Every structure is written in C-alpha cells, then in structure tokens.
Amino acid sequence: MSADRERKAAKLRHLLETEGDAVFENTTHVNEGRYETNSHRDDIDELRGQARAIKEDAIERLPELIEAARTSVEANGGEVYVADDAADANRYITEIAESKGAETLAKSKSMTTEEIEVNDALADVGVDVTETDLGEFVLQVADEAPSHLVGPAFHKSTEDIAELFNAHFDPAEPLETAEDLTQFARDHVGEKIMDADVGMTGANFVFAESGTIALVTNEGNARKCAVTPDTHVAVAGVEKLIPSVDEFPPFAELIARAAGGQDIATYLSLLSPPVDSPVVDFDAPDEPLDGSADDREFHLVLLDNGRTEMRDDDELRETLYCIRCGACANSCANFQHVGGHAFGGETYTGGIATGWEAGVHGLDSAAEFNDLCTGCSRCVDACPVEIDIPWINTVVRDRVNRGTDTEFDWLVEGLTPDADPGGVDVQKRLFGNFGALAKLGSATAPVSNWLADWGPSRALMERVAGVDRRRDLPAFQRETLVDWFESREPLATAGDGDREAVLYPDAYTNYVLVDRGKAAVRTLEALGVDVTVAPCHESGRAPLSQGMIATATENAARVADSLDPYLDDGRDVVVVEPSDLAAFRREYERLLDADRAQRLAANSYEVMEYVYGLLENGADADTLTAGGDVAYHSHCQQRTLDVDQYTEAVFDRLGYDVVTSDVECCGMAGSFGYKSEYYELSVDVGETLADQFEAADVDERELVASGASCHEQLESLLPQASTHPVELVAPAVERVPRSR
Amino acid sequence: MRTDTTDRFADSLEAADVSCTRVEAAEFADALAGVVEQPAVGVPLGIDGVSLDDTDVEIPPTPRLLREAETGVTRVHGIVSYGTFVIQGDEAGAEPVSLYPTTHVGVVRASDLHEDVEETASWLGEEFDAGRDSAVLATGASATADMGELVAGVHGPQRVHAVVVTDR
C-alpha cells in the first residue's frame, strides 16, 4: 500500500476506534427524529421547492441584496462591512474590539467564524473569547475542531465530556451525568456572558430589506450574546442574504426538521440590530433597565472569502444554497461511522463540505476527504434545499484528478482507453474503466479469475492500484449475458408481446452476475414482454464515481447511441442495476443533450419497477415464483429515486414476507470497498447492515439485494448467499438456486 | 371559533411541554399568582384591563432581578400550530425578561394567536414595517443535547407557562 493510502487508512482506523461509536449513536438519534418529524407533514417537498427557489433567486441577486442590507442596517444605526477574505474580516473585527477596549467576548456557535478562525485573531489582540454553545464550549476546553455542522461535539460521549471537565475544572464533586455537565457548563458560560464586553454571533439568514439577522438555536445562547453586551458583531457569509421576512417561512419550517428532527427550533430569533432591548449591565446590578438602547453598537460583517467566485462557478454555485443543517452528514453512511474529523476539511464537514472547502479553502482541503463521498445520493433527499451534493463532489473530484500526477499511468493506459487526461490516479483509472476490465476478464475467464486471485497479482494490484487484497474480486463469467441471449433460439412468441422492452446490460450483469440478467429476461418474457438485450456499454457510473467526467460523458453518449434505435422503435428500457438507472435519470441530463437525456430517463425502468407496472396492467402473476421469507436490502440510489417501493410491492403481491434493512448504504458503494485506504471503513459500515440480517428471526430468511455492490458486501459479511429480487421471483421452472 | 383556536394552541403547547392557563381578564391577577414563583420580574403587558400592577411581579427589571428571579413575565403573541411564543423585543426589556429567569410566563391575548408560521411572518412583516422589527419565536424551554442527552434549561428558561386571556 502506498504511504498516502496507509496514512488515510490509519487515520480512519483511529477515528473508527475513538469517535465512531459516539458519532453513530448521535447521527442515528437525529435521523430517527428527522424521519419521524417529516412523516407528520405531507408538504415537505413543496417547502423544499420553495426554499430552493428563494435561494436561487437570492444568489442570483446577491450584489443587489448586499447593498439593500447595507442601506437597511445603516438606517437602523448599525454598520455593514463586506470582507474580502478571512484576514480582512479579522482585521475589521479586532479593530472593533480594540476600539471598545474589550477584554472579553462571548460568542455564539458560528461556522463562519470558524472558517476565518476569529478566535485566534482575537486572542492575538488580548481578547478572551468564550464559546457559549455548550457543544462548542466542550471543544474549546478540549482544544479540538468541530466535527459536525450542527453538533460540534457530536463525536464525544457523556463519559468523554465528564472525563474532560473533571480533569480541566477539577470540580468539588466529580461530574457524571449529562444533567451535571450541562448545569456546570451553563453556570460557567453564563457568568462569562454576563461579563462580556462584546457579543458575537453568526447569522443563519440575513433579511436584506429590514437588516434583520435570523439566529436559530435551541439553547438561547445566541440571544444572550446578541442582546446582553452593548456591542454586537454578527459574522455571516454573503450567501446568507434573503430578501425579506416574507421569505422566511419555508426555512423556519425546514431547518430544525432537517437538522435535528424538531418541528421548529426552540428559538428563531429575528433581530434587527442595534436592537431596542436595553443593555444589561451586570456591573450595575440595581440600576433599572432604563429603556434606552442608545449606547448599542452593531456591526454586520458579510464575508466573501471565495463566495463570489463560487457564485460565478456553474458547478459550485449550488453550494451557496446550503443552510448548514448537517442533514447531508447525518444521512451519510460513511459520516455515521467516522464523523467530521475524517469527513471534513479545514472547517466544514459532511457531504456539502466538499463544495464549501473547495470554494473557501481550495481544492487541497477538499481533496483530503472528497473520496469519502461514495455518490450513494442518500443526502439528496435529506437536503432541505435540494442541492445535488453528490454531483458537486463528483465535479470537485474531477478537478482534483486533473491536478494529480502518478508514475504508474502507463500500466492502465492501454487497458483503459478513457477520455480523461493522463494524471488521473491509477486506482481511479482502474475502477473508472470497469467495463473494459470486465470485458477483458470475461474474454479470458477462467484464467483471468485465477490470475486475479493469485497472491503475487493481488500484492501488485494492492501496491499499484490500491485494490485491497482482503476483498474478494468479482468472478468474470466466460459466457456473457449478451452472448447467452444471442445464442438462444428466439421464443415462439417473439414479436407478439403485449409490450416490447430492451434490457440494458450493465457490465456487472453482462460479465459477472449473469444469472440476474437471465432471470430478468425470463421474468419479463413470462409476463408477456417481447425482450431484446442491448449491447453492453458502461453507463458512465464507474468513471463518475472516480470523478472522471469526460470519460463518463463519452460513455453516456455511447449508451444513448446504442439505445436510441430501440427507443425509436418504441421499446421500454429495463435496467437491472439501480445505480445505472440513477445515471440515466439523474446524471445524464448533465452529460447529454437535454432532449436525449429526457427521452432516455422517461422511458427507462428499474426491472422490478417494470415488473410492478406489468402486474398492475394485468400481467399474470401466477407465472412468477411466489411466497417465502425474505431479508431485503434495497439500494441507496434506488431509494433516492423512490423506486425501492416497487420491489416491495411486487414481493407483497407475490406473498413474500419481507424484512427490509433501514441503513443508508451497504458501505461497498461500487469501488469504494475495494480501495485499500477505505476497506476497513467499508466493512465497518457494512457490519451495521449485517447486524440487521443476523438478528434472530431474520438470519434464516433468503437474502436479497438490488445492487451488485450490496450483493458483494453482503456475501463478504454473511454466510448466506444473496440474490437479486428478480432472481427470486423469476419463473420457478427454470430457477436454479445459487450456491456459494 | 375562538375557543377552538385556544384549544388547539393549548394542545400544541402541551406537545412542546408548556403548561397553559386560560383566563378572562378580570381573573388575570389571581390566575397569575397561581403560576408565578417568587421572586418574579416583568415588563408592562400593554393589554387592556390586564396589568402586573396589582401582582407581586416587580417592574422595571434590573440586572440583579434578571439574575435572581425565578420567573419572568412578558406579553407574547402565539403560533397555534407549534405552541410557539412570539416575543417582540422592546425598550422595556421583554427580551431579557423572557430569557434570563428560570421560568418564562408568556401572557397572550386570544386575539394575538396566529395560525401558523406563514401567517405569523405576514403579521411580522407589518410589524417590521412599523418599526417593531425584532422578535423571537420561542417554542418550549431552552434545551441542549450537547452533553449526550437532552437537558432542559440551558441559557434560556427551564420551564415555560402560557396565560391565555380568552376575552381579549
């Protein structure tokens, strides 16, 4: 393993051991709340659409909104400063502190101030900063960086914090429970707020029209920091601007649901500073609050720090719609296992962090963790503003690829005639050309399989391409699905079907999991469909996963060329592998002409979705194999597309008793589980799934998984064999149970 | 119709762990005495026929009272769907009085109940235009899970109580 891969593996291993359990417990808890809360409303998607539209419009009109905010804040009696970068913002903020002779500052949690590292700048001018958000306070005591956008100390358990506080503060009675710790921190931090010379907050939103900042908290610390001292500095990225309070409702409804599964945050403070509330001077305890706010001072620091460039960047612009709820992190299987200290950069963590880090700190910061996004797309549904986070991560990966160089390029150059420039990491190039590899492997099977398994080859593959030798490789079949179909006698009913379909054979189905392809053909034919099989061309999913967009674009065009004639003939396209359907429905619009992409997306179906449609339209279910107890793992991209329901509906209709897994992702995620630096994380994620299927009353069930990767992960972690749903329901007469 | 609204508001308050007393203006002082723990601090309510003058709630607030009071009493508006208080910032100190003491008692006219967030935003838009441009939407007690479990009463109040004046 290369030194870089070993370093990454070691870091992930360490975090799995030290922080993984606490992060998993906390994200699980928050996700349960999110699903529960969202289930109470049926207009979540409508609200998401509204929120998205407001952000699109606001970012479009950003220069105008900045000027409107300046006018309204100044009319209120405050100041606005637009800071070009971190240094500029810190210079302005420290000058305010110095002009006030400030010795102490109470700060509410704000990722934007983390981004500019304002605490260090303030310490340099002798200002003592106290973090007042209790999670952030824990980190300040521990001298650590946040590991989550919303729960900065997500990675620490109650016991960890008790140990930290007892060692640091040496209280008379050792602190033990969450209640003890909260009480202690509240009292300690509360005193600091009452003594503070300056209060500093972020802003979740800034309403340009009235110069109002919106602060969303549960603790109330932001309110105290904003209204207690006479001087308030709010620091916000320019992207936080929205036109007015009229646009606030969808965000009020969405942000706490997405962040923590609450209907609404405990405090949504809409403050138009300098506020009318009287200054509370605890040094003059018996002076009545005099009803005057004349001595209040307010500064709004709007931070650019790369955001204007992001706005001009067609691929990164969406990042600016982010409302920092952290739902992308919580819904991410990898994040759930290692947290933001692995899945994050200099400041931002989780799925959207790649966009933020690329924009505000540059590609190097984003590159450190970008590969932890497997493109499973579970965050797409979780995002309250409908940001296509996996696409942003793909784009950044592509840009990172173009900046790298490698000495082993010659090894895969001949094997992998892709469209991406030389310099793409050899591991990525290998996995990004899986179709070509599979074709070669199949043509030379079984020698290729034997060679691939041979110890010295595994060592070489691990050293050169980072393919972990602990992972079983796919066994290529000599007879491909396409060959099998072409060598068949056409059915007597060919040409007479009620419907006509073309099966799209992905590389896995064509060269490796050929049985599921055959089962798909038999099932469709049994239901009265005239089936043909298209040529096997890689869909582009594999190179997309590696950030090789040029290659994916070339693949997409080839697939569209091969399927267009069938579409012209009115055939439906049936897809076995859910990730390829996701490519057709979600990514092709970015890779192909709009008309072409739309036609393919509109006429493509996941195989079980298609079976469901056939049964609904009167096809005879009795020809299929019915009944049985099933443990079913859907596929992450299939769930994002809401296609998983059809498999379950077909099972239900055919009398199967089904237990469905509820983890976000199997952890294998295409090539991810093969990569030596990620192998252990992949297995750790997979074990969460395996645990569900090893439970009593589930472990005897037939194991079924929709995705090729999920199938591989399950077979590596469990003793049972696993099949695709279509293999289960395919006509009984020809069905041969697979053994391992 | 009004009864229906206050019923639903009370249901939402209960879901947010906020207790509720419904009272007519004439009985306000007695009802308040039943829910206020001493010492208590408040700001003028500005509701016709309803006043803190004949109660044990001290006005005006001082920093010491904010720090030591068990209860803070302010006027609020309400959002029916979530049992939310809308606390408008003012020069008398409604914001700190609703924030520092252990218990916040919000006094709300039935006619100041808004159905949902959207309706509230629309009303707030008018208030902002009229210069009353700071408000806090507060739902239940201050809370944190930062120490590993949900704990109530962090920087804000630990308990919240609503007094709904049904005939105003």
Side-chain angles (χ1 to χ4, degrees), chain A residues 186-205:
Chain A
R186 172 181 66 193
D187 292 348
H188 181 91
V189 171
E191 292 296 326
K192 297 280 190 182
I193 297 175
M194 289 189 273
D195 286 345
D197 299 317
V198 175
M200 179 180 281
T201 67
N204 293 79
F205 305 94

Side-chain angles (χ1 to χ4, degrees), chain A residues 304-352:
Chain A
D304 189 317
N305 206 30
R307 287 164 174 78
T308 299
E309 280 184 54
M310 291 166 80
R311 178 173 171 268
D312 293 339
D313 184 325
D314 286 342
E315 310 291 0
L316 288 189
R317 186 180 306 122
E318 278 195 54
T319 308
L320 298 172
Y321 305 160
C322 169
I323 59 171
R324 319 274 179 94
C325 67
C328 54
N330 299 331
S331 62
C332 169
N334 280 342
F335 189 95
Q336 289 171 4
H337 286 254
V338 290
H341 286 156
F343 203 142
E346 291 177 37
T347 304
Y348 297 99
T349 59
I352 194 65

